[in-house]
Amino acid sequence: MPALRALPPEAAHGLALRAAALGLLPSTRPDSPALEVRVFGQRFRNPLGLAAGFDKQCEAVDGLYKMGFGFVEVGTVTPKPQEGNPKPRVFRLAEDEAVINRYGFNSHGHVVVERRLRARQETQIRLTAAGMPLGVNLGKNKSSTDAAADYVAGVRTLGPLADYLVVNVSSPNTPGLRDLQGKAELRDLLSKVLVERDLLPCKQKPALLVKIAPDLTAQDKQDIASVVCELGVDGLIVSNTTVSRPSGLRSRQRTEPGGLSGKPLRELSTQTIRDMYALTQGRVPIVGVGGVSSGQDALEKIRAGASLVQLYTALVFHGPPVVGTVKRELEELLREQGFKSVMEAVGADHRR
């Protein structure tokens, strides 16, 4: 993938996705049992997943598992197809190992994504049984006046095809979306979504997770923790991209509007994981995401409270080999630090 950096970012992304869909990316070796995680009623062969945003339209899932991910999250998917924001809408900050995007939920819509997921449903059942669950990230249409109805429709249509669902209320690129993280709004939204999830006709119902921003006040975090604990939400994804711009950014693209991901997000996201783990007393499993490009980065998030981690921007700068590298380094660090497994290390910083 680094060779793709000669291309504009969105074109490079499209090509990388095509390569994955065609199975052109390298396969990896089996995982060590120490990396296995059991959470959300599922077994994950390793804790490293691909974050939402890479395969938004569910076009390359099988090829992505081959790269060695323990799980893949597709989306964000909106009910109706929508174009997203005008191009250019994604920018590489090479000097900072970061990306700014303002895609704005470009989506093929529920109908198309459901068809793609259904076409490979048997394959996914086998993958899930082998420790490679699938997540589906849900969003709302920009023009929608009833956000809850959009998420409820996503649960109804895509829920039966997912091992876990994500209510994404934290993209900075859809006007008003982050307001849904407010206490009353979030309680109202999640109550409706959970009712719909519980009504799904499938035997094993998908876990329901909420993806939150890293740009939250202490009060926001407390409110979110209290709502997810009260309603019995299954997990949190921490965090989405940031609208902040850390002072050390060097790239001239740093002033572009949108969400910043990659290295400069790492500490902010890890601190948000630490806060949410403490506020929920470790009772709500967390998927940590933001700036993971090494085993050290992954273990920091795990020790802070994450049961699983995800990456995306690291692929842009390091290509597919980063997946194997992160897992190998993580395994070595666990051993060095006296942990027999990932699960033993989850939240270790809170027990010192």
Side-chain angles (χ1 to χ4, degrees):
M1 279 188 204
L4 296 175
R5 292 220 294 275
L7 294 172
E10 193 160 347
H13 179 192
L15 214 54
L17 206 54
R18 200 77 211 105
L22 294 169
L24 302 179
L25 302 180
S27 297
T28 53
R29 63 193 183 110
D31 294 315
S32 145
L35 293 181
E36 186 175 296
V37 175
R38 289 180 186 265
V39 70
F40 308 132
Q42 300 288 352
R43 179 172 77 85
F44 292 76
R45 66 173 182 172
N46 72 68
L48 186 63
L50 177 62
F54 187 81
D55 191 0
K56 284 173 175 281
Q57 323 299 353
C58 188
E59 296 170 297
V61 182
D62 298 301
L64 294 167
Y65 280 114
K66 271 201 200 132
M67 284 166 59
F69 287 110
F71 61 111
V72 170
E73 186 175 315
V74 298
T76 298
V77 191
T78 58
K80 295 189 201 113
Q82 62 177 31
E83 290 289 321
N85 291 322
K87 297 177 186 179
R89 53 194 180 176
V90 55
F91 307 88
R92 281 189 213 105
L93 283 63
E95 302 91 323
D96 305 297
E97 267 194 50
V99 166
I100 290 174
N101 94 77
R102 50 171 183 268
Y103 273 113
F105 287 171
N106 50 311
S107 177
H108 292 176
H110 286 171
V111 172
V112 169
V113 172
E114 188 220 8
R115 189 174 68 231
R116 287 180 189 143
L117 284 172
R118 203 167 288 291
R120 55 173 299 286
Q121 190 174 12
E122 293 307 314
T123 303
Q124 187 57 52
I125 288 168
R126 285 195 298 276
L127 286 165
T128 299
M132 288 169 272
L134 176 77
V136 178
N137 186 299
L138 304 173
K140 70 178 270 294
N141 282 113
K142 187 176 180 179
S143 60
S144 169
T145 52
D146 185 349
D150 280 21
Y151 290 102
V152 163
V155 172
R156 191 180 305 134
T157 308
L158 302 174
L161 297 158
D163 295 305
Y164 73 85
L165 293 169
V166 183
V167 175
N168 183 354
V169 286
S170 52
S171 163
N173 302 315
T174 294
L177 188 78
R178 285 188 165 190
D179 299 342
L180 296 171
Q181 293 173 121
K183 191 170 190 180
E185 294 85 348
L186 192 64
R187 183 188 280 118
D188 178 60
L189 170 64
L190 294 177
S191 302
K192 291 172 177 166
V193 166
L194 284 162
V195 165
E196 192 62 37
R197 190 277 307 266
D198 292 341
L199 288 172
L200 286 175
C202 40
K203 195 166 75 223
Q204 182 156 9
K205 301 190 192 323
L208 189 86
L209 284 62
V210 181
K211 186 165 186 175
I212 64 172
D215 312 308
L216 296 167
T217 65
Q219 186 63 55
D220 291 335
K221 291 180 214 180
Q222 219 172 320
D223 289 346
I224 290 167
S226 116
V227 169
V228 300
C229 289
E230 174 199 333
L231 296 179
V233 169
D234 298 300
L236 288 165
I237 299 195
V238 183
S239 71
N240 216 311
T241 56
T242 179
V243 291
S244 72
R245 296 292 181 265
S247 54
L249 293 178
R250 302 200 309 278
S251 168
R252 61 189 174 83
Q253 308 266 37
R254 66 184 180 271
T255 54
E256 289 288 348
L260 174 76
S261 62
K263 270 220 166 101
L265 174 60
R266 187 181 69 220
E267 283 173 34
L268 183 58
S269 119
T270 301
Q271 188 54 50
T272 311
I273 292 165
R274 207 178 296 288
D275 294 343
M276 296 312 295
Y277 185 88
L279 287 164
T280 57
Q281 297 172 315
R283 290 202 302 261
V284 179
I286 293 170
V287 180
V289 53
V292 172
S293 64
S294 70
Q296 179 65 43
D297 299 339
L299 187 53
E300 273 175 23
K301 282 182 164 41
I302 290 164
R303 291 187 62 124
S307 296
L308 300 168
V309 292
Q310 291 176 320
L311 59 75
Y312 174 175
T313 303
L315 278 178
V316 174
F317 294 101
H318 304 288
V322 77
V323 180
T325 304
V326 170
K327 292 192 296 181
R328 196 168 54 251
E329 292 173 355
L330 174 59
E331 200 184 330
E332 282 165 20
L333 287 166
L334 286 167
R335 206 166 36 242
E336 278 169 29
Q337 295 182 20
F339 297 111
K340 290 193 187 65
S341 67
V342 168
M343 292 187 78
E344 248 183 45
V346 174
D349 288 350
H350 300 262
R351 298 189 287 276
R352 283 198 292 207

